[in-house]
Amino acid sequence: MNVLLFAPGLLFLLLCEFGLWKTLPRLALCAVIQLVLGLPFLLVNPVGYVSRAFDLGRQFLFKWTVNWRFLPEDVFLNRYFHLALLLAHITTLLLFALKRWKRSGSSIWTILKDPSERKETAHKVNADQMVLILFTSNFIGMCFSRSLHYQFYVWYFHTLPYLLWSGGVKKLAHLLRVLILGLIELSWNTYPSTNYSSLSLHVCHLIILLCLWLNPNPASPSHRSENKAKSH
């Protein structure tokens, strides 16, 4: 499931690099690999494998949730609540793709074209931008997850320092960033989770998400000029 959280960011990077038509064969390759890996199970019990391996509608147990402890259990299990989180997840991804990941002033349709047909190379991304987009995609998925259990911490804990210090939000002091990391660590190490630990986790997630949103667009000319000036 963790790999799926990176998928939107990876799709955006593939489109930037190859355009729509050259991306489709690469997506097909990903599907073929999954098919080959699952072939031993598909040959024996295809219905059981598909229904259990990709059971996106399963219910999580309220007693294990780290992030939604402050909610009543009936709300936590409500399907409309799950749909609202999914909608918020998709909306946030789209906003980041349209406003933060692509170059300011350029059309999102540009990345669907073949790179040779583009009038500019604005959608070429460097290694730092690739990492930031992938980590942000994964982090957004964590923010709007139906439930985070204790083992899910490994999905993103290693990305948090990069997300906090790679941004260009000058108003967020270094000490505050360290405090955010400490509060997140404390929230994940509180067992059983409490109203306060789950709320503090959401507050920290929100601050990081806002920092990523306010971060100067890494593809914008002004940001590139600023980095170039600093390098000199």
Side-chain angles (χ1 to χ4, degrees):
M1 290 297 296
N2 185 211
V3 175
L4 293 179
L5 300 184
F6 284 94
L10 177 60
L11 175 61
F12 182 87
L13 292 172
L14 288 173
L15 290 173
C16 287
E17 183 68 22
F18 302 109
L20 177 60
W21 295 112
K22 291 183 179 179
T23 293
L24 293 178
R26 290 166 171 82
L27 295 180
L29 177 61
C30 295
V32 169
I33 292 175
Q34 291 299 311
L35 182 64
V36 172
L37 292 175
L39 194 59
F41 308 98
L42 291 170
L43 293 175
V44 176
N45 185 6
V47 176
Y49 173 72
V50 173
S51 63
R52 298 300 296 171
F54 303 97
D55 184 11
L56 300 179
R58 70 186 183 279
Q59 289 281 20
F60 291 105
L61 295 178
F62 182 66
K63 70 176 182 178
W64 295 115
T65 186
V66 175
N67 58 332
W68 296 116
R69 176 65 61 185
F70 60 90
L71 293 177
E73 186 171 1
D74 59 332
V75 174
F76 173 80
L77 298 174
N78 190 285
R79 291 294 185 185
Y80 291 106
F81 174 63
H82 301 164
L83 290 174
L85 288 174
L86 178 61
L87 180 61
H89 183 187
I90 295 173
T91 301
T92 305
L93 284 171
L94 288 174
L95 287 173
F96 268 84
L98 293 172
K99 300 296 184 180
R100 309 313 305 156
W101 294 345
K102 74 176 185 65
R103 179 178 177 179
S104 179
S106 62
S107 171
I108 191 66
W109 301 109
T110 304
I111 67 173
L112 300 180
K113 297 180 180 179
D114 188 281
S116 62
E117 299 177 358
R118 297 172 186 167
K119 296 181 180 179
E120 56 185 34
T121 58
H123 293 287
K124 290 291 183 179
V125 293
N126 58 36
D128 286 337
Q129 293 163 8
M130 289 182 183
V131 172
L132 182 60
I133 289 173
L134 289 172
F135 283 4
T136 301
S137 177
N138 180 61
F139 180 73
I140 292 172
M142 297 295 288
C143 289
F144 298 103
S145 176
R146 284 190 294 144
S147 182
L148 295 176
H149 295 177
Y150 289 95
Q151 65 271 28
F152 296 171
Y153 191 27
V154 300
W155 288 9
Y156 82 140
F157 82 95
H158 54 291
T159 71
L160 295 175
Y162 185 91
L163 292 175
L164 278 167
W165 270 272
S166 66
V169 185
K170 308 302 182 185
K171 294 182 180 180
L172 194 61
H174 291 294
L175 184 60
L176 179 56
R177 302 181 200 209
V178 174
L179 177 61
I180 290 172
L181 288 178
L183 288 174
I184 291 177
E185 182 75 17
L186 180 62
S187 299
W188 281 96
N189 282 278
T190 300
Y191 177 81
S193 60
T194 65
N195 292 346
Y196 297 109
S197 67
S198 60
L199 277 171
S200 64
L201 182 64
H202 278 289
V203 170
C204 291
H205 282 177
L206 178 61
I207 293 174
I208 296 175
L209 196 61
L210 287 174
C211 288
L212 293 171
W213 179 260
L214 296 173
N215 177 32
N217 191 330
S220 66
S222 60
H223 187 65
R224 290 199 302 270
S225 300
E226 180 183 349
N227 287 341
K228 186 176 180 180
K230 287 181 179 179
S231 66
H232 290 292

